[in-house]
Amino acid sequence: MQKICIIGLGYIGLPTAAVFARAGYDVVGVDVNKKVIELLNKGEIIIEENGLPEVVKEAVESGKLRASLEPEAADAFIVAVPTPVHADHTANVDYVVSAVEKIVPHVKKGDVVIVESTIPPRTIDDVVAPIFKEAGFDPEKDIHLAHCPERVLPGRILIELVENARIVGGLTPEAAEKAADVYRRVVTGDILVTEAVTAEMSKLMENTFRDVNIALANELSKICGVLGVDAHKVIELANRHPRVNLHQPGPGVGGHCLAVDPYFIVEKAPAEAQIIKMSRDINNSMPDYVVDQIVRMTGDIERPTVALFGLTYKGNIDDVRESPAIEIVEKMIENPRFNVRVHDPHVRDEQVSFPLSSFEEAVADAHLIVILADHNEFKQLDQHTLVSKMARPVVFDTKNCTGLQNTNGLTVHKIGDLRGLS
Ligand SMILES: NC(=O)c1ccc[n+]([C@@H]2O[C@H](COP(=O)([O-])OP(=O)(O)OC[C@H]3O[C@@H](n4cnc5c(N)ncnc54)[C@H](O)[C@@H]3O)[C@@H](O)[C@H]2O)c1
């Protein structure tokens, strides 16, 4: 096995291509985006990821990695294109279908075809295999078809691509083994061989586990709000049980994995996936819950100025995809009662459809600051500065990250601890 063709050069496909090239494979990366191709052939990239520019540059200069708009013959093909959800929360596998259709004319008997994109259960069996059947292949005998999901953490992709355990699910046991061989040259973590559908479900359940547990924490925070209890203290104490690990509440769940993947299961087994569906609903309800609390906190002011801090779905990144903070900002802007200011030091103007303010502009004469992302900048907010600049020094910390205290003229509310609110 010498040559690999990788379809989709985004956050997953590009680092994968670079790491495989570094390990000695001849790699051709394919994308529909011309700019990505032109830049990559010069050794340059558009995505941000620690260490990636250097690894890509070296791989391109060594001649082991190049980019093309069209696939070409190879020993193995890896598909890493997006799998978003439609507006009705059903999976959109059109990119996967189109990528597979594009490689079919270049695949020969004995080749390995791997889908790395996160896909609904049975997609390899019911969607991908039939495309090869239609093209005259016996998908169980002529080729080795597998799903190998990715579980890397942005920021650590180059490390985790190599060190994480990998699940390799084959359409047949032989396909799983052949696909596992592709990774063995690169991956130092365990390679766990199974069936395609089991691999599909395992990946989805990893993110579903986290979504359901965050929903439980969010539900706890609402219950504590009604009962006048501090949910954070409850979590701290309950987690001293050796087998309990309650998660943290927040303003909702965002990103293109946790907020998306559970729907792939709900779609396939709607009657059975009760907790999973309800967890999505609970997490989706959090932006409204946050806005309701903002209304309560400012009910006595005719036109309150509210400064919303943080737009990304998690701290210290610039990614606003599916972010609940964006939904909260939009709901606040729609409400004519509020004078809204939005501040996020990690987000650029062109990423959003509303104006952004500097820290100074946002804080000046504000009646309330709402923390929606746990950026380091917000963890270090200075109590004295807030008290001196705000019209009414009140902070609503939905991430429980600031460390600000209910002292020296400042009032602090938290999701999960609204005891000071009448
Ligand atoms: N980014 C992550 O942290 C992460 C983690 C685990 C799993 N995943 C999964 O990996 C898959 C890819 O995600 P990503 O973050 O790399 O996406 P991405 O949007 O960063 O990149 C996808 C790339 O595919 C290209 N593309 C789309 N259709 C194409 C086609 N038909 N032919 C060739 N190229 C095409 C796009 O132009 C883009 O460059 C998704 O299924 C995602 O859910 C992502």
Side-chain angles (χ1 to χ4, degrees):
M1 166 105 32
Q2 282 309 323
K3 185 171 170 189
I4 300 186
C5 181
I6 298 185
I7 320 296
L9 296 172
Y11 284 96
I12 296 300
L14 182 56
T16 303
V19 165
F20 276 78
R22 187 175 63 184
Y25 284 112
D26 286 321
V27 180
V28 57
V30 178
D31 204 288
V32 287
N33 184 335
K34 267 190 191 149
K35 192 172 161 204
V36 168
I37 300 303
E38 282 167 16
L39 282 176
L40 186 56
N41 280 328
K42 288 192 250 167
E44 295 167 24
I45 63 175
I46 51 170
I47 59 174
E48 257 181 50
E49 178 58 34
N50 288 335
L52 190 59
E54 295 80 6
V55 180
V56 166
K57 192 162 182 283
E58 217 178 295
V60 172
E61 282 174 359
S62 72
K64 285 290 180 188
L65 173 62
R66 62 199 165 76
S68 168
L69 280 167
E70 291 302 325
E72 46 191 77
D75 305 306
F77 296 81
I78 296 178
V79 174
V81 295
T83 41
V85 278
H86 294 293
D88 65 356
H89 295 144
T90 56
N92 177 355
V93 294
D94 293 353
Y95 298 94
V96 172
V97 169
S98 138
V100 171
E101 284 174 349
K102 227 158 131 182
I103 61 172
V104 166
H106 305 276
V107 173
K108 58 189 182 307
K109 283 191 178 184
D111 284 353
V112 176
V113 177
I114 298 165
V115 176
E116 282 204 7
S117 302
T118 306
I119 44 178
R122 298 202 54 83
T123 300
I124 292 289
D125 289 71
D126 297 347
V127 179
V128 179
I131 296 174
F132 282 98
K133 202 161 182 199
E134 181 92 341
F137 288 92
D138 180 338
E140 293 193 0
K141 293 200 177 112
D142 295 341
I143 54 167
H144 306 296
L145 194 50
H147 174 52
C148 180
E150 192 46 79
R151 42 159 70 132
V152 289
L153 182 72
R156 283 178 46 85
I157 293 181
L158 286 175
I159 299 165
E160 296 205 355
L161 264 180
V162 174
E163 294 181 2
N164 283 357
R166 294 300 296 252
I167 302 170
V168 181
L171 186 66
T172 63
E174 198 196 347
E177 275 307 324
K178 293 282 183 194
D181 283 342
V182 175
Y183 293 97
R184 286 198 175 104
R185 210 151 117 188
V186 175
V187 171
T188 59
D190 291 338
I191 294 184
L192 312 164
V193 173
T194 184
E195 293 159 1
V197 67
T198 310
E200 290 164 342
M201 272 307 283
S202 307
K203 164 68 192 175
L204 297 175
M205 280 312 290
E206 290 168 15
N207 285 339
T208 299
F209 171 86
R210 297 181 61 210
D211 195 53
V212 168
N213 277 284
I214 295 168
L216 185 60
N218 283 335
E219 185 163 286
L220 169 70
S221 74
K222 288 182 176 178
I223 294 167
C224 287
V226 172
L227 300 181
V229 180
D230 176 0
H232 302 286
K233 194 71 192 168
V234 172
I235 292 168
E236 183 192 323
L237 295 177
N239 282 351
R240 295 299 294 271
H241 183 295
R243 286 167 295 282
V244 171
N245 179 21
L246 287 169
H247 286 35
Q248 299 298 320
V253 170
H256 59 296
C257 288
L258 261 62
V260 170
D261 296 355
Y263 287 122
F264 291 6
I265 301 175
V266 174
E267 179 185 350
K268 292 291 174 170
E272 292 76 18
Q274 297 284 319
I275 293 178
I276 299 174
K277 169 73 169 64
M278 198 174 285
S279 300
R280 285 278 67 242
D281 291 345
I282 291 169
N283 289 334
N284 285 343
S285 77
M286 293 311 287
D288 276 329
Y289 181 73
V290 169
V291 173
D292 287 348
Q293 306 320 308
I294 295 172
V295 169
R296 279 175 76 193
M297 286 170 202
T298 55
D300 59 326
I301 303 170
E302 201 181 334
R303 188 165 156 73
T305 295
V306 178
L308 302 167
F309 273 31
L311 291 170
T312 59
Y313 72 87
K314 64 177 186 180
N316 302 318
I317 59 166
D318 66 355
D319 194 340
V320 297
R321 284 183 287 179
E322 314 284 333
S323 175
I326 297 280
E327 196 181 330
I328 291 166
V329 169
E330 285 168 354
K331 284 177 192 291
M332 289 292 294
I333 289 172
E334 267 169 30
N335 188 330
R337 223 194 101 219
F338 293 110
N339 176 27
V340 178
R341 296 178 190 151
V342 185
H343 169 63
D344 190 319
H346 293 260
V347 172
R348 299 174 304 280
D349 291 309
E350 63 270 20
Q351 285 179 265
V352 290
S353 57
F354 39 78
L356 296 176
S357 303
S358 67
F359 172 78
E360 286 74 20
E361 289 163 350
V363 169
D365 295 325
H367 297 96
L368 177 67
I369 291 176
V370 186
I371 308 289
L372 298 170
D374 49 355
H375 294 320
N376 285 344
E377 291 86 343
F378 304 155
K379 291 178 187 167
Q380 290 149 14
L381 282 176
D382 177 49
Q383 187 127 352
H384 175 72
T385 307
L386 300 185
V387 172
S388 61
K389 307 259 183 215
M390 293 176 72
R392 184 161 79 176
V394 183
V395 172
F396 178 25
D397 183 355
T398 71
K399 299 294 290 185
N400 191 26
C401 70
T402 61
L404 294 166
Q405 304 291 329
N406 261 313
T407 51
N408 298 330
L410 187 72
T411 302
V412 183
H413 302 296
K414 293 174 187 170
I415 272 211
D417 185 11
L418 298 171
R419 285 173 300 166
L421 201 56
S422 52

